[in-house]
Amino acid sequence: MAGTRHILFIQGGGAGAHDEWDDKLCDSLRRELGDGHEVRYPRMPDEDDPSYTRWSAAIRREMTALDDGAVVVGHSVGATILVNALAERPPEPELGAIVLVAAPFVGAGGWPGDEFELPHDLGARLPQGVPVHVFHGLRDETAPPSHADLYAHAIPQAQLHLLPGRDHQLNNDLSEVAKTIAPGDLGSAIQE
């Protein structure tokens, strides 16, 4: 469909995450964005045991089908893997924005390093000129809100959106994310 903007939503990890948890986030995003957007929501392999190798390969395959100007959104560990994959190798299509929702920071100051550890120069490795937005609920008991600050430090160009009263699932409400990625709003988000 001409004029339709692609949004690629990458789920978080854990048993049932795709069908029982993050589907509500994806539904909220679709509802809030409305017409003119196609939200793609692929199932990641072995969701109960996220692997950087398997998930980044799946994410790269999904990104090949995106048009220029597409927005990539990742939730939880899906966001951590997404941003790591983008830093490792930028996609072919020119992205409109990168959005991280409740992303755990893996590395110094965050969760202990493993296969998901983020590079120290993360911001410099991301596609240049692409807006980066970090959304985090201040009542997130899964990935502490301090992780959002670590992302803001690692990605100096990122815009940080701290949401009071919101949990790891942002209370299943992605209205702020939708407002930020709506056409014309990508570079003018509010620091909360």
Side-chain angles (χ1 to χ4, degrees):
M1 180 185 330
T4 299
R5 183 179 212 182
H6 292 158
I7 313 294
L8 176 61
F9 187 93
I10 304 300
Q11 70 175 79
H18 187 275
D19 295 339
E20 299 170 24
W21 293 93
D22 286 1
D23 60 323
K24 294 167 186 66
L25 293 176
C26 196
D27 289 346
S28 172
L29 191 58
R30 283 186 178 118
R31 189 172 49 255
E32 295 292 333
L33 287 171
D35 294 338
H37 296 85
E38 178 188 334
V39 180
R40 298 176 180 193
Y41 181 45
R43 182 180 305 277
M44 289 293 106
D46 301 317
E47 70 180 356
D48 56 335
D49 185 22
S51 151
Y52 179 76
T53 302
R54 288 190 308 269
W55 280 40
S56 63
I59 290 167
R60 286 185 214 294
R61 279 192 303 276
E62 291 293 333
M63 284 194 288
T64 63
L66 299 176
D67 294 335
D68 283 344
V71 175
V72 291
V73 179
H75 177 247
S76 191
V77 73
T80 305
I81 295 171
L82 171 66
V83 75
N84 224 338
L86 291 170
E88 184 177 81
R89 189 171 70 216
E92 287 300 318
E94 188 173 311
L95 296 177
I98 300 165
V99 179
L100 309 179
V101 177
F105 188 90
V106 179
W111 287 353
D114 60 6
E115 66 174 319
F116 305 130
E117 187 160 354
L118 299 162
H120 70 280
D121 58 346
L122 179 61
R125 291 179 181 221
L126 293 175
Q128 296 304 300
V130 176
V132 179
H133 297 275
V134 177
F135 287 86
H136 215 100
L138 292 177
R139 291 206 175 168
D140 189 334
E141 294 180 2
T142 304
S146 61
H147 286 216
D149 295 326
L150 294 170
Y151 273 106
H153 181 73
I155 309 171
Q157 70 270 32
Q159 294 185 31
L160 188 58
H161 308 266
L162 300 175
L163 305 175
R166 305 291 269 290
D167 61 14
H168 190 62
Q169 297 293 124
L170 296 190
N171 299 11
N172 295 323
D173 176 4
L174 292 188
S175 57
E176 293 90 353
V177 172
K179 287 175 189 152
T180 299
I181 63 176
D185 293 343
L186 288 175
S188 61
I190 301 169
Q191 169 92 11
E192 296 182 8

